[in-house]
């Protein structure tokens, strides 16, 4: 189980927020979204990359009124 405390331990290192070298798979993107739940995609390139994959794959629809 992934908890917020676990997320904070894993993602305190700035390298954990870097964009991936290769695009994520859908499954990887889901996992990244869980680990980076407290991040804003606008400030976390890794979460932004996961969001892009999920949107492109039809697994996520962005809100027209709320920021990423």
């Amino acid at each position: 189980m992934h908890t917020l405390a676990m997320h904070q331990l894993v993602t305190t290192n700035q390298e954990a927020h870097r964009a991936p070298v290769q695009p994520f798979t859908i499954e990887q993107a889901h996992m990244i979204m869980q680990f980076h739940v407290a991040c804003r995609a606008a400030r976390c390139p890794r979460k932004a990359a996961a969001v892009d994959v999920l949107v492109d794959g039809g697994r996520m629809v962005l809100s027209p009124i709320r920021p990423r």
Side-chain angles (χ1 to χ4, degrees), residues 53-68:
V53 167
L54 294 173
V55 169
D56 291 346
R59 302 290 182 98
M60 181 178 186
V61 177
L62 297 177
S63 169
I65 58 172
R66 293 185 67 184
R68 290 170 70 165

Side-chain angles (χ1 to χ4, degrees), residues 11-56:
T11 59
T12 54
N13 182 348
Q14 287 301 317
E15 289 182 27
H17 298 280
R18 289 190 181 155
V21 176
Q22 297 179 353
F24 292 124
T25 65
I26 295 283
E27 293 77 20
Q28 290 170 326
H30 280 294
M31 186 174 64
I32 293 301
M33 294 295 286
Q34 291 173 356
F35 277 112
H36 290 262
V37 67
C39 293
R40 297 285 307 266
R43 295 191 177 171
C44 178
R46 196 159 193 86
K47 185 171 184 173
V51 168
D52 290 343
V53 167
L54 294 173
V55 169
D56 291 346

